[in-house]
Amino acid sequence: MKNTFYFFIFLLVITGCERKKAIYAEVSTEIVSPKTYVVYKTTQPITIDGKADESDWKNSAFTDEFIDIEGVKIPSQTTKVKMLWDANFLYVYAKLDEKHIWGDITKRDAVIFYNNDFEVFISPSDDTHNYGEIEINALGTVWDLILNKPYNVGGKPKNRWNLNDLKSAVFIKGSLNDPSDIDEYWSVELAIPLSAYAELKNRPKIKPKDGEQWRINFSRVQWDHDLKDGTYSRKKKGGKFLPEYNWTWSNQGAINMHLPENWGYIHFTDNVPTNPIEFKHQTDALTEQVTYALYRKIAFKDLKHLKKEKVGTQFEFEPIEVQGITVNASFLKTHTGFTLQTQNTQKNTVYTINETGLIRRKQTN
């Protein structure tokens, strides 16, 4: 058999070669539309002081304000981000409105999100594997780590991965750990070394160039707080910490930042901030979101029974119609798990994704 996948056919079960009705899958309610942002080249050195006073920063647009991680609730305080880049760094400036600025974690690579924090997630290859995470609190304490793949498919964090060339600073408009007043905001400025993230890429392992697109998202973890003897702490009820709030730039669709397929897109351009361009997707983003939604149904949700099929079993899905496109999809049970293949009937790109969520793209004639 030259190709294990065939589009536009009915369900075929290898055992007995019995034809059955194609599988129906509803994914329209699970489609996420990631945010986009064009990252412009700097025209002058950027001083990492948490203030973003340079003209390049002033000429750069903020992202949309952060939303609740599930895209439903409006956060009680505003968060927004700007980005720039040069030959060596991706610059991130975040402004976090905050009435009570506090923090007590001072050890690098501790679990920073036990304080209110700001987090950056970067995937340079856009395949859901090998991505980095940076967390920082109002004290400027950093936690940096990488994952080989998301936690929900067995990903293992490497806390020993340190961004030795990372530059970071926090600026506080108000007072730190002082409950006697109401604060305005705290801001974070980062210079993230691009060479370290280039090492996480598939190929070529080089720093981004003009026109390259990566995946990125930002998270703000916010806790309700208690005060005891003038000291802030996470609030408890019944002896247990109240759950944190998670506010993000691009909607994750679930309370889980480790869904790289739902992160936003950034486009690196050699243009400067005063010469803006329009963001244009370089892949079929909607078909990919359909692919990821169907993958999650098979991996974790109502279609996970397919993983129990006999190795070599193939299924076709009924054509999936979402937002004006039609996607054909097929499933193959493999020795290691499964492979899902999709194609937009109007496009010539085929997507394959395996049980670990690793996606591949291939152009067809």
Side-chain angles (χ1 to χ4, degrees), residues 64-89:
D64 293 335
E65 294 180 2
F66 283 25
I67 58 175
D68 181 78
I69 193 169
E70 295 180 281
V72 179
K73 302 174 184 177
I74 303 299
S76 60
Q77 301 188 96
T78 299
T79 313
K80 51 190 177 182
V81 168
K82 293 183 178 185
M83 285 170 272
L84 291 166
W85 76 301
D86 62 21
N88 298 309
F89 295 99

PDB file of all heavy atoms in Angstrom, residues 64-89:
ATOM      1  N   ASP A  64      -3.125  43.276  22.709  1.00  0.00           N
ATOM      2  CA  ASP A  64      -4.427  43.374  23.362  1.00  0.00           C
ATOM      3  C   ASP A  64      -4.234  43.091  24.851  1.00  0.00           C
ATOM      4  O   ASP A  64      -3.303  42.395  25.259  1.00  0.00           O
ATOM      5  CB  ASP A  64      -5.404  42.345  22.786  1.00  0.00           C
ATOM      6  CG  ASP A  64      -5.762  42.627  21.345  1.00  0.00           C
ATOM      7  OD1 ASP A  64      -5.669  43.800  20.932  1.00  0.00           O
ATOM      8  OD2 ASP A  64      -6.137  41.672  20.635  1.00  0.00           O
ATOM      9  N   GLU A  65      -5.139  43.623  25.654  1.00  0.00           N
ATOM     10  CA  GLU A  65      -5.077  43.347  27.081  1.00  0.00           C
ATOM     11  C   GLU A  65      -5.315  41.864  27.348  1.00  0.00           C
ATOM     12  O   GLU A  65      -6.059  41.194  26.617  1.00  0.00           O
ATOM     13  CB  GLU A  65      -6.108  44.198  27.819  1.00  0.00           C
ATOM     14  CG  GLU A  65      -5.801  45.694  27.762  1.00  0.00           C
ATOM     15  CD  GLU A  65      -6.836  46.534  28.488  1.00  0.00           C
ATOM     16  OE1 GLU A  65      -7.773  45.944  29.075  1.00  0.00           O
ATOM     17  OE2 GLU A  65      -6.707  47.772  28.480  1.00  0.00           O
ATOM     18  N   PHE A  66      -4.691  41.359  28.394  1.00  0.00           N
ATOM     19  CA  PHE A  66      -4.830  39.946  28.736  1.00  0.00           C
ATOM     20  C   PHE A  66      -6.285  39.620  29.084  1.00  0.00           C
ATOM     21  O   PHE A  66      -7.036  40.469  29.557  1.00  0.00           O
ATOM     22  CB  PHE A  66      -3.941  39.592  29.924  1.00  0.00           C
ATOM     23  CG  PHE A  66      -2.485  39.451  29.584  1.00  0.00           C
ATOM     24  CD1 PHE A  66      -1.922  40.097  28.487  1.00  0.00           C
ATOM     25  CD2 PHE A  66      -1.651  38.683  30.373  1.00  0.00           C
ATOM     26  CE1 PHE A  66      -0.573  39.970  28.178  1.00  0.00           C
ATOM     27  CE2 PHE A  66      -0.302  38.546  30.089  1.00  0.00           C
ATOM     28  CZ  PHE A  66       0.235  39.191  28.994  1.00  0.00           C
ATOM     29  N   ILE A  67      -6.634  38.374  28.837  1.00  0.00           N
ATOM     30  CA  ILE A  67      -7.956  37.856  29.150  1.00  0.00           C
ATOM     31  C   ILE A  67      -7.810  36.675  30.104  1.00  0.00           C
ATOM     32  O   ILE A  67      -6.709  36.199  30.366  1.00  0.00           O
ATOM     33  CB  ILE A  67      -8.694  37.407  27.876  1.00  0.00           C
ATOM     34  CG1 ILE A  67      -7.868  36.330  27.142  1.00  0.00           C
ATOM     35  CG2 ILE A  67      -8.981  38.591  26.968  1.00  0.00           C
ATOM     36  CD1 ILE A  67      -8.580  35.730  25.937  1.00  0.00           C
ATOM     37  N   ASP A  68      -8.925  36.213  30.623  1.00  0.00           N
ATOM     38  CA  ASP A  68      -8.896  34.988  31.415  1.00  0.00           C
ATOM     39  C   ASP A  68      -8.408  33.845  30.538  1.00  0.00           C
ATOM     40  O   ASP A  68      -8.668  33.805  29.328  1.00  0.00           O
ATOM     41  CB  ASP A  68     -10.291  34.676  31.948  1.00  0.00           C
ATOM     42  CG  ASP A  68     -10.309  33.420  32.790  1.00  0.00           C
ATOM     43  OD1 ASP A  68      -9.886  33.477  33.953  1.00  0.00           O
ATOM     44  OD2 ASP A  68     -10.741  32.372  32.261  1.00  0.00           O
ATOM     45  N   ILE A  69      -7.700  32.894  31.110  1.00  0.00           N
ATOM     46  CA  ILE A  69      -7.063  31.826  30.353  1.00  0.00           C
ATOM     47  C   ILE A  69      -8.056  31.030  29.502  1.00  0.00           C
ATOM     48  O   ILE A  69      -7.714  30.517  28.442  1.00  0.00           O
ATOM     49  CB  ILE A  69      -6.281  30.884  31.296  1.00  0.00           C
ATOM     50  CG1 ILE A  69      -5.353  29.956  30.507  1.00  0.00           C
ATOM     51  CG2 ILE A  69      -7.233  30.097  32.196  1.00  0.00           C
ATOM     52  CD1 ILE A  69      -4.369  29.194  31.383  1.00  0.00           C
ATOM     53  N   GLU A  70      -9.302  30.939  29.950  1.00  0.00           N
ATOM     54  CA  GLU A  70     -10.317  30.231  29.181  1.00  0.00           C
ATOM     55  C   GLU A  70     -11.065  31.149  28.225  1.00  0.00           C
ATOM     56  O   GLU A  70     -11.930  30.704  27.474  1.00  0.00           O
ATOM     57  CB  GLU A  70     -11.319  29.562  30.119  1.00  0.00           C
ATOM     58  CG  GLU A  70     -10.712  28.466  30.965  1.00  0.00           C
ATOM     59  CD  GLU A  70     -11.741  27.829  31.886  1.00  0.00           C
ATOM     60  OE1 GLU A  70     -12.042  28.432  32.925  1.00  0.00           O
ATOM     61  OE2 GLU A  70     -12.230  26.744  31.545  1.00  0.00           O
ATOM     62  N   GLY A  71     -10.722  32.424  28.248  1.00  0.00           N
ATOM     63  CA  GLY A  71     -11.347  33.353  27.324  1.00  0.00           C
ATOM     64  C   GLY A  71     -12.758  33.741  27.680  1.00  0.00           C
ATOM     65  O   GLY A  71     -13.517  34.186  26.826  1.00  0.00           O
ATOM     66  N   VAL A  72     -13.135  33.609  28.939  1.00  0.00           N
ATOM     67  CA  VAL A  72     -14.518  33.858  29.350  1.00  0.00           C
ATOM     68  C   VAL A  72     -14.610  35.101  30.237  1.00  0.00           C
ATOM     69  O   VAL A  72     -15.347  36.038  29.941  1.00  0.00           O
ATOM     70  CB  VAL A  72     -15.101  32.639  30.093  1.00  0.00           C
ATOM     71  CG1 VAL A  72     -16.520  32.922  30.536  1.00  0.00           C
ATOM     72  CG2 VAL A  72     -15.055  31.406  29.189  1.00  0.00           C
ATOM     73  N   LYS A  73     -13.846  35.123  31.308  1.00  0.00           N
ATOM     74  CA  LYS A  73     -13.935  36.207  32.289  1.00  0.00           C
ATOM     75  C   LYS A  73     -12.978  37.346  31.939  1.00  0.00           C
ATOM     76  O   LYS A  73     -11.930  37.140  31.336  1.00  0.00           O
ATOM     77  CB  LYS A  73     -13.602  35.675  33.678  1.00  0.00           C
ATOM     78  CG  LYS A  73     -14.501  34.532  34.140  1.00  0.00           C
ATOM     79  CD  LYS A  73     -14.008  33.957  35.456  1.00  0.00           C
ATOM     80  CE  LYS A  73     -14.828  32.751  35.870  1.00  0.00           C
ATOM     81  NZ  LYS A  73     -14.308  32.126  37.113  1.00  0.00           N
ATOM     82  N   ILE A  74     -13.349  38.557  32.343  1.00  0.00           N
ATOM     83  CA  ILE A  74     -12.498  39.721  32.181  1.00  0.00           C
ATOM     84  C   ILE A  74     -11.685  39.910  33.461  1.00  0.00           C
ATOM     85  O   ILE A  74     -12.256  40.015  34.550  1.00  0.00           O
ATOM     86  CB  ILE A  74     -13.324  40.989  31.892  1.00  0.00           C
ATOM     87  CG1 ILE A  74     -14.190  40.781  30.647  1.00  0.00           C
ATOM     88  CG2 ILE A  74     -12.413  42.193  31.738  1.00  0.00           C
ATOM     89  CD1 ILE A  74     -13.412  40.505  29.390  1.00  0.00           C
ATOM     90  N   PRO A  75     -10.364  39.950  33.385  1.00  0.00           N
ATOM     91  CA  PRO A  75      -9.543  40.110  34.589  1.00  0.00           C
ATOM     92  C   PRO A  75      -9.857  41.410  35.325  1.00  0.00           C
ATOM     93  O   PRO A  75     -10.266  42.405  34.719  1.00  0.00           O
ATOM     94  CB  PRO A  75      -8.107  40.117  34.037  1.00  0.00           C
ATOM     95  CG  PRO A  75      -8.200  39.347  32.756  1.00  0.00           C
ATOM     96  CD  PRO A  75      -9.539  39.697  32.181  1.00  0.00           C
ATOM     97  N   SER A  76      -9.612  41.406  36.609  1.00  0.00           N
ATOM     98  CA  SER A  76      -9.895  42.582  37.429  1.00  0.00           C
ATOM     99  C   SER A  76      -8.819  43.648  37.288  1.00  0.00           C
ATOM    100  O   SER A  76      -9.033  44.804  37.664  1.00  0.00           O
ATOM    101  CB  SER A  76     -10.021  42.171  38.897  1.00  0.00           C
ATOM    102  OG  SER A  76      -8.814  41.577  39.356  1.00  0.00           O
ATOM    103  N   GLN A  77      -7.640  43.288  36.757  1.00  0.00           N
ATOM    104  CA  GLN A  77      -6.556  44.241  36.566  1.00  0.00           C
ATOM    105  C   GLN A  77      -5.934  44.022  35.181  1.00  0.00           C
ATOM    106  O   GLN A  77      -5.870  42.909  34.684  1.00  0.00           O
ATOM    107  CB  GLN A  77      -5.501  44.099  37.667  1.00  0.00           C
ATOM    108  CG  GLN A  77      -6.084  44.332  39.063  1.00  0.00           C
ATOM    109  CD  GLN A  77      -5.026  44.394  40.139  1.00  0.00           C
ATOM    110  OE1 GLN A  77      -4.570  45.456  40.528  1.00  0.00           O
ATOM    111  NE2 GLN A  77      -4.625  43.234  40.651  1.00  0.00           N
ATOM    112  N   THR A  78      -5.457  45.113  34.602  1.00  0.00           N
ATOM    113  CA  THR A  78      -4.996  45.106  33.218  1.00  0.00           C
ATOM    114  C   THR A  78      -3.546  44.627  33.101  1.00  0.00           C
ATOM    115  O   THR A  78      -2.696  44.985  33.917  1.00  0.00           O
ATOM    116  CB  THR A  78      -5.113  46.511  32.612  1.00  0.00           C
ATOM    117  OG1 THR A  78      -6.482  46.910  32.646  1.00  0.00           O
ATOM    118  CG2 THR A  78      -4.619  46.539  31.185  1.00  0.00           C
ATOM    119  N   THR A  79      -3.292  43.840  32.052  1.00  0.00           N
ATOM    120  CA  THR A  79      -1.938  43.412  31.709  1.00  0.00           C
ATOM    121  C   THR A  79      -1.785  43.515  30.195  1.00  0.00           C
ATOM    122  O   THR A  79      -2.694  43.146  29.442  1.00  0.00           O
ATOM    123  CB  THR A  79      -1.688  41.944  32.123  1.00  0.00           C
ATOM    124  OG1 THR A  79      -2.145  41.725  33.454  1.00  0.00           O
ATOM    125  CG2 THR A  79      -0.213  41.600  32.018  1.00  0.00           C
ATOM    126  N   LYS A  80      -0.639  44.006  29.731  1.00  0.00           N
ATOM    127  CA  LYS A  80      -0.382  44.082  28.296  1.00  0.00           C
ATOM    128  C   LYS A  80       1.119  44.071  28.054  1.00  0.00           C
ATOM    129  O   LYS A  80       1.913  44.344  28.967  1.00  0.00           O
ATOM    130  CB  LYS A  80      -1.029  45.318  27.678  1.00  0.00           C
ATOM    131  CG  LYS A  80      -0.733  46.631  28.371  1.00  0.00           C
ATOM    132  CD  LYS A  80      -1.614  47.752  27.824  1.00  0.00           C
ATOM    133  CE  LYS A  80      -1.374  49.059  28.577  1.00  0.00           C
ATOM    134  NZ  LYS A  80      -2.256  50.150  28.090  1.00  0.00           N
ATOM    135  N   VAL A  81       1.502  43.760  26.806  1.00  0.00           N
ATOM    136  CA  VAL A  81       2.898  43.475  26.478  1.00  0.00           C
ATOM    137  C   VAL A  81       3.287  44.180  25.184  1.00  0.00           C
ATOM    138  O   VAL A  81       2.448  44.401  24.303  1.00  0.00           O
ATOM    139  CB  VAL A  81       3.103  41.942  26.329  1.00  0.00           C
ATOM    140  CG1 VAL A  81       4.448  41.610  25.720  1.00  0.00           C
ATOM    141  CG2 VAL A  81       2.950  41.246  27.671  1.00  0.00           C
ATOM    142  N   LYS A  82       4.584  44.499  25.069  1.00  0.00           N
ATOM    143  CA  LYS A  82       5.195  44.921  23.813  1.00  0.00           C
ATOM    144  C   LYS A  82       6.394  44.025  23.530  1.00  0.00           C
ATOM    145  O   LYS A  82       6.982  43.452  24.453  1.00  0.00           O
ATOM    146  CB  LYS A  82       5.697  46.370  23.897  1.00  0.00           C
ATOM    147  CG  LYS A  82       4.635  47.436  24.036  1.00  0.00           C
ATOM    148  CD  LYS A  82       5.295  48.821  24.039  1.00  0.00           C
ATOM    149  CE  LYS A  82       4.249  49.937  24.132  1.00  0.00           C
ATOM    150  NZ  LYS A  82       4.885  51.280  24.018  1.00  0.00           N
ATOM    151  N   MET A  83       6.794  43.943  22.247  1.00  0.00           N
ATOM    152  CA  MET A  83       7.982  43.173  21.876  1.00  0.00           C
ATOM    153  C   MET A  83       8.798  43.902  20.825  1.00  0.00           C
ATOM    154  O   MET A  83       8.257  44.623  19.989  1.00  0.00           O
ATOM    155  CB  MET A  83       7.575  41.790  21.341  1.00  0.00           C
ATOM    156  CG  MET A  83       7.120  40.801  22.391  1.00  0.00           C
ATOM    157  SD  MET A  83       6.381  39.290  21.677  1.00  0.00           S
ATOM    158  CE  MET A  83       4.651  39.799  21.520  1.00  0.00           C
ATOM    159  N   LEU A  84      10.112  43.689  20.861  1.00  0.00           N
ATOM    160  CA  LEU A  84      11.074  44.160  19.868  1.00  0.00           C
ATOM    161  C   LEU A  84      12.142  43.082  19.715  1.00  0.00           C
ATOM    162  O   LEU A  84      12.189  42.129  20.498  1.00  0.00           O
ATOM    163  CB  LEU A  84      11.737  45.462  20.320  1.00  0.00           C
ATOM    164  CG  LEU A  84      10.892  46.736  20.370  1.00  0.00           C
ATOM    165  CD1 LEU A  84      11.615  47.816  21.165  1.00  0.00           C
ATOM    166  CD2 LEU A  84      10.585  47.240  18.954  1.00  0.00           C
ATOM    167  N   TRP A  85      13.035  43.246  18.732  1.00  0.00           N
ATOM    168  CA  TRP A  85      14.141  42.303  18.612  1.00  0.00           C
ATOM    169  C   TRP A  85      15.330  42.955  17.939  1.00  0.00           C
ATOM    170  O   TRP A  85      15.217  44.000  17.279  1.00  0.00           O
ATOM    171  CB  TRP A  85      13.720  41.032  17.886  1.00  0.00           C
ATOM    172  CG  TRP A  85      13.568  41.156  16.376  1.00  0.00           C
ATOM    173  CD1 TRP A  85      12.743  41.999  15.699  1.00  0.00           C
ATOM    174  CD2 TRP A  85      14.268  40.404  15.389  1.00  0.00           C
ATOM    175  NE1 TRP A  85      12.853  41.808  14.340  1.00  0.00           N
ATOM    176  CE2 TRP A  85      13.795  40.838  14.117  1.00  0.00           C
ATOM    177  CE3 TRP A  85      15.227  39.399  15.429  1.00  0.00           C
ATOM    178  CZ2 TRP A  85      14.258  40.300  12.913  1.00  0.00           C
ATOM    179  CZ3 TRP A  85      15.686  38.854  14.226  1.00  0.00           C
ATOM    180  CH2 TRP A  85      15.210  39.301  12.995  1.00  0.00           C
ATOM    181  N   ASP A  86      16.490  42.319  18.123  1.00  0.00           N
ATOM    182  CA  ASP A  86      17.681  42.672  17.362  1.00  0.00           C
ATOM    183  C   ASP A  86      18.425  41.376  17.055  1.00  0.00           C
ATOM    184  O   ASP A  86      17.837  40.289  17.166  1.00  0.00           O
ATOM    185  CB  ASP A  86      18.552  43.706  18.096  1.00  0.00           C
ATOM    186  CG  ASP A  86      19.084  43.221  19.437  1.00  0.00           C
ATOM    187  OD1 ASP A  86      19.142  41.991  19.656  1.00  0.00           O
ATOM    188  OD2 ASP A  86      19.450  44.069  20.271  1.00  0.00           O
ATOM    189  N   ALA A  87      19.673  41.473  16.673  1.00  0.00           N
ATOM    190  CA  ALA A  87      20.409  40.283  16.244  1.00  0.00           C
ATOM    191  C   ALA A  87      20.580  39.263  17.358  1.00  0.00           C
ATOM    192  O   ALA A  87      20.769  38.070  17.085  1.00  0.00           O
ATOM    193  CB  ALA A  87      21.779  40.688  15.704  1.00  0.00           C
ATOM    194  N   ASN A  88      20.485  39.698  18.606  1.00  0.00           N
ATOM    195  CA  ASN A  88      20.804  38.796  19.717  1.00  0.00           C
ATOM    196  C   ASN A  88      19.667  38.518  20.684  1.00  0.00           C
ATOM    197  O   ASN A  88      19.678  37.493  21.364  1.00  0.00           O
ATOM    198  CB  ASN A  88      21.989  39.370  20.505  1.00  0.00           C
ATOM    199  CG  ASN A  88      23.243  39.471  19.667  1.00  0.00           C
ATOM    200  OD1 ASN A  88      23.652  38.501  19.030  1.00  0.00           O
ATOM    201  ND2 ASN A  88      23.860  40.647  19.651  1.00  0.00           N
ATOM    202  N   PHE A  89      18.690  39.426  20.758  1.00  0.00           N
ATOM    203  CA  PHE A  89      17.674  39.295  21.798  1.00  0.00           C
ATOM    204  C   PHE A  89      16.258  39.527  21.271  1.00  0.00           C
ATOM    205  O   PHE A  89      16.043  40.303  20.332  1.00  0.00           O
ATOM    206  CB  PHE A  89      17.927  40.316  22.916  1.00  0.00           C
ATOM    207  CG  PHE A  89      19.198  40.109  23.683  1.00  0.00           C
ATOM    208  CD1 PHE A  89      20.328  40.848  23.375  1.00  0.00           C
ATOM    209  CD2 PHE A  89      19.269  39.175  24.710  1.00  0.00           C
ATOM    210  CE1 PHE A  89      21.507  40.671  24.081  1.00  0.00           C
ATOM    211  CE2 PHE A  89      20.448  38.988  25.420  1.00  0.00           C
ATOM    212  CZ  PHE A  89      21.571  39.740  25.106  1.00  0.00           C
TER     213      PHE A  89
END
